[in-house]
Amino acid sequence: MFATKAGGMSSPEGRRVLWRGPLFGRLSKAGQDFLIREGGWENLEAASKESSGERIQFIWPNKTGPQFEMDDDQAAHIRPYPKVATDIVDDKLQLAELLKMHASEIAPPTITSPDSSQKGKLYFVKHRFGAQGKSVYVYNRIQLEEWWQRSKNPQDFVIQQEVPPALDEQGRKFVLRAHILMLQSSDKPVRAFLHKDIICLPHASPYAKEDCSHANTPKSAYISQAGKKHPPPFLLQDISSPNHPAAGLWPNIRRCTEKLVSAGCCLKDSPFQQPVAQATTCFALLGADLLVSSEGQVIVCEVNSHPALGWGTMSQVPAAVFRGLIEDSLSIIVFDKMKEGNKFESLKIHDHAP
């Protein structure tokens, strides 16, 4: 059932085929070219894709594409975790509850009603399934109470107290995008890796610590995706000024992401630790948005199981960054090896279940 590829470890046999369609919705052209070049994949016309009943070796659908249970032994050998697993990070309420219970030191303080709010603090109100900065609101205490009274479904929102932010040399907040690869095979436990290319995304407007209803304080000062004409993103390792608050933060980012993945895996019924079908690997390439506090602490803002990889909010990032990320990911996911120059580093998963 397993074939060994020269220079690598064993991987499940199966039809090494690609075609245009929902099963490969997230596989960029760079990813397709890599599989064709490195693994002998064949790019088929849609008309010939059903020519064999043999299991396909690998698929990578979009978030809205086909879903396959982890114990499904007829689907592709290598495939993403199903939505039932990744909801624990995509759902902001579930993520907030998970971190509050198992890793509160890397999470913003959460409250369940305006009664717990404090004067002089700002609060981020996020819909549990919001994405790309949509359904995110910034309120002071009075505004939060007003929102609560008029909201018809406050139970679908998470309310987080603002983390006092570190500001760059232009007085802007910024977000760090980290990519975490998680995978689990029928013959191996869950593993996690952090990619070294951490992307720094400055906000569009300078930060102003004042009442967020102030007419001269745009939403883009507080929310990373809001506004227009953002400064160009850059990689953490390209920071040249020692005065930038993100300079030298790689060890803190590693510790933060290790706590994040450990929290997701330590649950008694963790969705990342469920039985996997024979000769099967399930994987997720997570995009974690991280905040940096004024004291240099790295905090998890949110996590996305289907992050933008060079489009949408990441369209200004050089294409070479995501080409490298995809190739490094496929080297581990498909070939189960770290090619020379691979920028992923293994994360230790700590068992701290109560």
Side-chain angles (χ1 to χ4, degrees):
M1 193 63 184
F2 290 84
T4 301
K5 187 173 178 63
M9 298 176 66
S10 61
S11 60
E13 290 182 353
R15 295 183 68 206
R16 295 188 174 190
V17 293
L18 307 167
W19 63 80
R20 292 180 63 86
L23 289 180
F24 302 97
R26 281 190 69 77
L27 188 62
S28 64
K29 185 179 185 305
Q32 295 179 30
D33 292 345
F34 179 77
L35 291 179
I36 292 170
R37 182 178 71 250
E38 300 291 331
W41 256 254
E42 181 183 2
N43 203 335
L44 299 181
E45 295 295 330
S48 64
K49 67 179 182 291
E50 300 294 345
S51 60
S52 169
E54 185 183 1
R55 285 178 75 182
I56 297 172
Q57 185 172 14
F58 167 78
I59 59 172
W60 199 350
N62 278 323
K63 190 172 186 176
T64 57
Q67 300 281 316
F68 301 97
E69 297 301 321
M70 294 172 65
D71 59 356
D72 187 335
D73 60 2
Q74 300 300 311
H77 288 286
I78 304 170
R79 57 186 189 258
Y81 280 104
K83 184 176 181 295
V84 67
T86 55
D87 268 352
I88 196 171
V89 293
D90 285 324
D91 183 341
K92 293 177 178 58
L93 269 180
Q94 287 194 51
L95 178 63
E97 292 169 0
L98 174 73
L99 296 181
K100 184 177 181 179
M101 180 178 298
H102 295 291
S104 59
E105 67 276 16
I106 63 167
T110 59
I111 62 173
T112 55
S113 78
D115 295 338
S116 304
S117 62
Q118 302 176 36
K119 185 177 180 180
K121 301 291 186 181
L122 291 181
Y123 295 88
F124 289 78
V125 178
K126 308 175 184 179
H127 192 277
R128 63 191 304 177
F129 296 121
Q132 299 181 347
K134 300 174 183 176
S135 299
V136 180
Y137 311 97
V138 188
Y139 295 137
N140 60 24
R141 184 180 186 183
I142 294 175
Q143 292 167 330
L144 181 62
E145 292 174 347
E146 293 172 347
W147 170 83
W148 185 272
Q149 292 173 4
R150 67 175 182 269
S151 177
K152 296 180 180 179
N153 58 333
Q155 72 280 359
D156 288 334
F157 289 79
V158 59
I159 306 174
Q160 296 177 324
Q161 183 175 303
E162 181 190 39
V163 174
L167 303 178
D168 66 17
E169 292 166 306
Q170 286 71 47
R172 302 173 191 265
K173 290 178 63 175
F174 57 90
V175 170
L176 300 177
R177 167 62 61 86
H179 292 96
I180 302 168
L181 177 63
M182 297 187 67
L183 66 162
Q184 177 186 356
S185 305
S186 51
D187 60 344
K188 291 182 180 179
V190 63
R191 293 172 287 158
F193 304 85
L194 173 64
H195 203 264
K196 290 182 180 179
D197 282 349
I198 306 296
I199 303 169
C200 188
L201 301 158
H203 284 219
S205 302
Y207 179 80
K209 182 64 177 77
E210 36 184 275
D211 186 320
C212 62
S213 66
H214 194 283
N216 295 321
T217 306
K219 188 177 181 181
S220 55
Y222 303 102
I223 299 174
S224 61
Q225 289 98 341
K228 298 179 180 180
K229 299 182 179 179
H230 290 71
F234 52 89
L235 297 181
L236 188 72
Q237 63 261 35
D238 292 339
I239 295 176
S240 58
S241 171
N243 297 322
H244 193 289
L249 273 188
W250 172 254
N252 297 27
I253 294 170
R254 271 193 60 94
R255 285 192 292 270
C256 176
T257 50
E258 281 191 345
K259 291 176 181 179
L260 170 63
V261 297
S262 297
C265 293
C266 76
L267 300 175
K268 181 179 179 181
D269 297 315
S270 169
F272 292 111
Q273 302 266 31
Q274 298 304 304
V276 177
Q278 182 66 26
T280 296
T281 295
C282 291
F283 70 91
L285 180 60
L286 307 176
D289 286 344
L290 308 175
L291 308 174
V292 180
S293 76
S294 56
E295 298 179 351
Q297 184 180 9
V298 179
I299 302 291
V300 176
C301 178
E302 60 183 63
V303 182
N304 189 338
S305 68
H306 290 75
L309 299 175
W311 55 82
T313 56
M314 295 292 151
S315 59
Q316 292 189 68
V317 178
V321 172
F322 288 106
R323 182 171 62 250
L325 173 66
I326 293 298
E327 291 187 0
D328 289 348
S329 299
L330 292 175
S331 292
I332 298 173
I333 296 168
V334 176
F335 303 118
D336 199 11
K337 65 178 182 178
M338 300 277 278
K339 68 182 181 67
E340 185 178 355
N342 194 305
K343 293 184 178 181
F344 274 110
E345 286 194 2
S346 180
L347 294 176
K348 185 174 181 180
I349 298 177
H350 304 274
D351 183 6
H352 51 228

